Amino acid sequence: MAVRCSCTALFPLFFCFMICQLCYGTVTDIQCLKKLKASVDPDNKLEWTFNNNTEGSICGFNGVECWHPNENRVLSLHLGSFGLKGEFPDGLENCSSMTSLDLSSNSLSGPIPADISRRLPFVTNLDLSFNSFSGEIPEALANCSYLNIVNLQHNKLTGTIPVQLAALSRLAQFNVADNQLSGQIPSSLSKFPASDFANQDLCGRPLSNDCTANSSSRTGIIVGSAVGGAVITLIIAAVILFIVLRKMPKKKKLKDVEENKWAKTIKGAKGAKVSLFEKSVSKMNLNDLMKATDDFTKDNIIGTGRSGTMYRATLPDGSFLAIKRLQDTQHSEDQFTSEMSTLGSVRQRNLVPLLGYCIVKNERLLVYKYMPKGSLYDNLHQQNSDKKALEWPLRLKIAIGSARGLAWLHHSCNPRILHRNISSKCILLDDDYEPKISDFGLARLMNPIDTHLSTFVNGEFGDLGYVAPEYTRTLVATPKGDVYSFGVVLLELVTREEPTHVSNAPENFKGSLVDWITYLSNNSILQDAVDKSLIGKDNDAELLQCMKVACSCVLSSPKERPTMFEVYQLLRAVGEKYHFSAADDELTMLPQNANPEDELIVAN
Ligand SMILES: *[C@@H]1O[C@H](CO)[C@@H](O)[C@H](O)[C@H]1NC(C)=O
Ligand SMILES: *[C@@H]1O[C@H](CO)[C@@H](O)[C@H](O)[C@H]1NC(C)=O
Ligand SMILES: *[C@@H]1O[C@H](CO)[C@@H](O)[C@H](O)[C@H]1NC(C)=O
């Protein structure tokens, strides 16, 4: 079904243009196989018959492997030794999710198409060996950027090997032996064994025969080394990022899971009082907390994050509280107390209320309201028999509510608060699945001295997969950084993929969820990312609109991202028909600073 696109004034024109191509298509893979058969299988060696239109009917065909057995979507074609004849088959562009094509040992001839990257955008494994393909290896092969394996052995290919193939950063096997290729082997390919290049007129490493220097080969070297230089720069950047990210504090987390020794050391101070912000909570001291958590045993741990470990506490009347043991904070008791009284006064429907705190020796314990349905992360990614996938209206409600909470922190709360660590783990759900953001205001407590600038000390960037790309460069937290992280949460809601690991991507895809979405949207197949359990339930327009909002949040340029206030308004419009929002949900915006990009959010 096609989805009509309406572009709002809030989206830049180019973005609308991009989105308008992202309409849900019908599965075209049947047409792909029909065209392929018509072009190369005159003798019906494949024995494919198209008289059954049920979903999954093509998945049982000879040589066809689908993504899912009951969905007509081709993952790979293994058509080796089927006696296929003719030119490179037609129709493959309609198998738009295919990752592997094996046409080896047939009688195919003619050129490898110059637009191969348009026909096979996702291909990771291309095997055309033992045919009679002729002509040159097309430069566009370099645009099939997912290629791992290229086998062109034993054909009639001529010309030189294109230097552009240096762009294939994932290439692990490359075989062009037994053709009629000539000229210099591009330096990017010299790492492969000499036997892969056995051609009469090829020269240069890894072969032992030197090329006589001529102008065309020199160009090859220059282009090759320029690309090589770029690759090295990228590698260095990646190594630096890796080192910085590794510095993130982890020590205590591991220990916590194993033991609760620390709790024994504070037992002596049982009488320490818990300072409470709400009169509704009955008076407590440390002893009550210890009893309620069974001395903070690991069985009571309900979450571990960057700011500390969360425990479930069961009170004598059977009700629950959540106690957070803060990861080491270097703030003095006075500073800590003053932060607490600020955070304790923050009350909004979509924030987890801080009820109180307790200071014992070096330990800082925060008392929160308990959220019975757990974190959004667990609800999305930790499915088991008694936890079904959340339905779409519920997910939309969670998206709108958490956007409202975060927008309120950014725009309506005084002092304004940057979260700095938004993830699906810090969005908690109450009994009615109303989302509540937790951990706001804590990032600041983690840093030794956080003066007027919201800097990230200790490599304190936030959870992997949620960190805005500019943070590694600027090291300054901004509202737009929170918007980016929130965009990742929206993507999780629509795709049910984890931010760092995409299960639905080709096996060798190593990027993050945002990389994956960017790739799909550049190729106009964003709909492939949608959680399968949401498809075909009349929600497609809403899913797509949410995806649009998410994509605008994760744009790499912070200035192009909407503000949290805009995100909230957009999502609210998407979910209007459900009436999730009450009349008093209208946010009042406090006046902005002159330059909101470097807004200094938490006042001192
Ligand atoms: C059509 O294909 C489906 C799935 O492969 C199969 O279960 C069904 O029996 C087939 N129907 C006919 C009429 O062949
Ligand atoms: C198959 O691909 C061609 C070329 O991209 C396109 O014009 C055609 O609409 C596709 N067929 C279907 C059924 O989508
Ligand atoms: C390959 O990709 C580049 C960059 O997107 C583009 O400029 C070029 O035209 C493409 N080449 C072919 C042959 O498709």
Side-chain angles (χ1 to χ4, degrees):
M1 72 234 95
V3 171
R4 256 167 286 122
C5 296
S6 63
C7 293
T8 74
L10 278 163
F11 289 102
L13 191 61
F14 92 93
F15 186 63
C16 285
F17 173 74
M18 190 178 95
I19 289 299
C20 289
Q21 302 176 23
L22 307 177
C23 301
Y24 288 66
T26 53
V27 176
T28 64
D29 296 42
I30 294 184
Q31 196 188 3
C32 156
L33 298 188
K34 279 186 180 165
K35 284 190 194 165
L36 180 144
K37 182 172 164 52
S39 62
V40 295
D41 187 26
D43 307 327
N44 193 22
K45 298 271 177 62
L46 292 170
E47 299 176 350
W48 294 348
T49 46
F50 295 94
N51 53 13
N52 184 343
N53 281 332
T54 353
E55 270 300 310
S57 59
I58 63 173
C59 303
F61 282 8
N62 289 325
V64 177
E65 195 186 338
C66 291
W67 285 79
H68 302 290
N70 49 4
E71 187 188 2
N72 284 339
R73 194 153 65 106
V74 174
L75 172 67
S76 53
L77 288 176
H78 306 280
L79 307 180
S81 307
F82 269 102
L84 306 179
K85 297 180 196 165
E87 300 216 327
F88 190 89
D90 292 333
L92 292 175
E93 65 274 18
N94 294 104
C95 285
S96 52
S97 308
M98 185 169 69
T99 65
S100 176
L101 175 64
D102 174 7
L103 296 172
S104 61
S105 306
N106 285 295
S107 308
L108 301 169
S109 56
I112 300 174
D115 61 348
I116 186 152
S117 60
R118 187 183 63 78
R119 300 190 193 199
L120 303 170
F122 282 114
V123 70
T124 61
N125 180 353
L126 179 66
D127 188 349
L128 306 180
S129 61
F130 295 94
N131 280 286
S132 302
F133 287 111
S134 55
E136 302 202 348
I137 300 174
E139 287 171 8
L141 194 60
N143 284 9
C144 298
S145 46
Y146 286 81
L147 275 172
N148 272 230
I149 300 177
V150 175
N151 192 349
L152 306 177
Q153 188 185 358
H154 194 101
N155 278 285
K156 297 184 171 146
L157 299 168
T158 52
T160 55
I161 303 176
V163 289
Q164 287 85 347
L165 298 187
L168 296 174
S169 55
R170 296 158 189 255
L171 208 55
Q173 285 179 39
F174 182 82
N175 191 337
V176 291
D178 210 359
N179 281 286
Q180 292 142 32
L181 298 165
S182 56
Q184 171 113 26
I185 297 170
S187 57
S188 62
L189 301 174
S190 62
K191 61 185 173 187
F192 298 114
S195 57
D196 291 350
F197 295 95
N199 279 255
Q200 191 73 49
D201 296 324
L202 278 179
C203 60
R205 285 203 309 128
L207 298 178
S208 46
N209 56 332
D210 276 341
C211 301
T212 47
N214 59 36
S215 62
S216 80
S217 67
R218 265 203 303 276
T219 321
I221 293 168
I222 292 163
V223 173
S225 56
V227 174
V231 169
I232 288 171
T233 316
L234 275 180
I235 291 173
I236 291 173
V239 167
I240 291 173
L241 184 60
F242 179 73
I243 291 171
V244 173
L245 290 177
R246 261 173 61 106
K247 277 192 182 161
M248 297 186 300
K250 276 183 192 162
K251 312 149 260 173
K252 216 156 195 176
K253 175 169 148 188
L254 281 178
K255 261 199 232 152
D256 257 335
V257 175
E258 283 163 20
E259 54 192 336
N260 59 338
K261 246 190 212 156
W262 66 273
K264 309 239 154 66
T265 69
I266 54 169
K267 266 196 153 168
K270 275 181 173 176
K273 82 169 187 345
V274 177
S275 313
L276 293 168
F277 303 115
E278 293 219 348
K279 297 210 173 60
S280 60
V281 185
S282 53
K283 282 215 175 84
M284 286 187 289
N285 58 24
L286 180 64
N287 192 32
D288 299 316
L289 297 187
M290 301 284 271
K291 266 195 201 150
T293 56
D294 207 0
D295 287 354
F296 294 92
T297 55
K298 67 171 195 241
D299 294 341
N300 280 320
I301 293 179
I302 47 179
T304 316
R306 304 169 59 71
S307 57
T309 307
M310 191 74 109
Y311 295 84
R312 178 183 33 234
T314 315
L315 300 180
D317 66 1
S319 64
F320 298 109
L321 289 174
I323 318 274
K324 169 152 261 168
R325 180 195 174 209
L326 210 58
Q327 189 92 252
D328 14 21
T329 161
Q330 280 120 39
H331 286 243
S332 70
E333 212 167 305
D334 282 351
Q335 286 170 323
F336 182 81
T337 308
S338 110
E339 285 289 335
M340 285 296 105
S341 64
T342 307
L343 292 181
S345 67
V346 171
R347 287 286 182 276
Q348 200 270 344
R349 170 174 149 202
N350 296 109
L351 302 175
V352 180
L354 175 65
L355 303 177
Y357 65 95
C358 177
I359 303 178
V360 206
K361 298 187 180 167
N362 290 327
E363 298 296 338
R364 307 278 188 271
L365 302 171
L366 311 188
V367 182
Y368 287 102
K369 197 164 170 187
Y370 178 74
M371 293 295 139
K373 291 287 196 288
S375 73
L376 175 59
Y377 180 91
D378 287 350
N379 278 273
L380 285 176
H381 306 304
Q382 311 255 295
Q383 242 104 72
N384 51 37
S385 48
D386 54 307
K387 257 191 193 165
K388 294 231 173 55
L390 296 174
E391 295 292 333
W392 174 246
L394 216 45
R395 295 196 209 184
L396 189 53
K397 169 176 165 165
I398 293 167
I400 296 170
S402 39
R404 181 168 47 229
L406 192 53
W408 189 86
L409 285 174
H410 279 192
H411 300 288
S412 309
C413 172
N414 188 13
R416 292 176 205 187
I417 294 177
L418 279 187
H419 192 288
R420 302 194 211 181
N421 200 6
I422 282 287
S423 74
S424 56
K425 287 186 178 159
C426 73
I427 295 174
L428 307 182
L429 304 172
D430 77 1
D431 254 327
D432 297 324
Y433 288 94
E434 184 69 35
K436 313 262 183 185
I437 296 176
S438 73
D439 278 8
F440 56 89
L442 296 191
R444 233 171 91 78
L445 286 174
M446 310 308 301
N447 291 336
I449 310 144
D450 194 292
T451 53
H452 59 293
L453 270 183
S454 312
T455 49
F456 295 89
V457 188
N458 295 337
E460 178 75 24
F461 284 124
D463 279 340
L464 277 181
Y466 294 96
V467 181
E470 70 273 13
Y471 277 5
T472 53
R473 205 174 55 241
T474 62
L475 303 178
V476 177
T478 64
K480 293 297 180 76
D482 274 356
V483 170
Y484 181 96
S485 307
F486 185 77
V488 178
V489 173
L490 281 180
L491 290 177
E492 280 179 88
L493 278 164
V494 177
T495 64
R496 197 145 53 95
E497 293 285 0
E498 301 211 24
T500 49
H501 174 78
V502 184
S503 62
N504 197 17
E507 202 178 303
N508 60 325
F509 182 85
K510 294 288 188 293
S512 66
L513 179 54
V514 172
D515 296 335
W516 178 236
I517 294 295
T518 309
Y519 183 79
L520 293 182
S521 82
N522 287 343
N523 288 279
S524 311
I525 45 174
L526 197 49
Q527 71 275 11
D528 285 16
V530 175
D531 178 1
K532 297 285 165 298
S533 73
L534 300 179
I535 290 177
K537 296 186 177 163
D538 249 12
N539 302 319
D540 297 342
E542 288 162 27
L543 284 165
L544 195 71
Q545 284 164 337
C546 256
M547 194 81 109
K548 273 199 224 178
V549 178
C551 286
S552 68
C553 291
V554 298
L555 287 173
S556 57
S557 157
K559 288 209 164 71
E560 285 174 34
R561 295 175 206 148
T563 63
M564 249 351 272
F565 185 76
E566 288 165 336
V567 171
Y568 169 54
Q569 299 295 352
L570 287 167
L571 291 174
R572 214 164 86 133
V574 175
E576 205 168 7
K577 74 170 188 208
Y578 299 102
H579 306 293
F580 294 135
S581 314
D584 61 353
D585 282 341
E586 209 57 61
L587 291 179
T588 30
M589 298 225 327
L590 295 177
Q592 300 280 338
N593 282 0
N595 183 0
E597 284 295 326
D598 346 294
E599 207 164 359
L600 314 171
I601 295 296
V602 182
N604 283 290

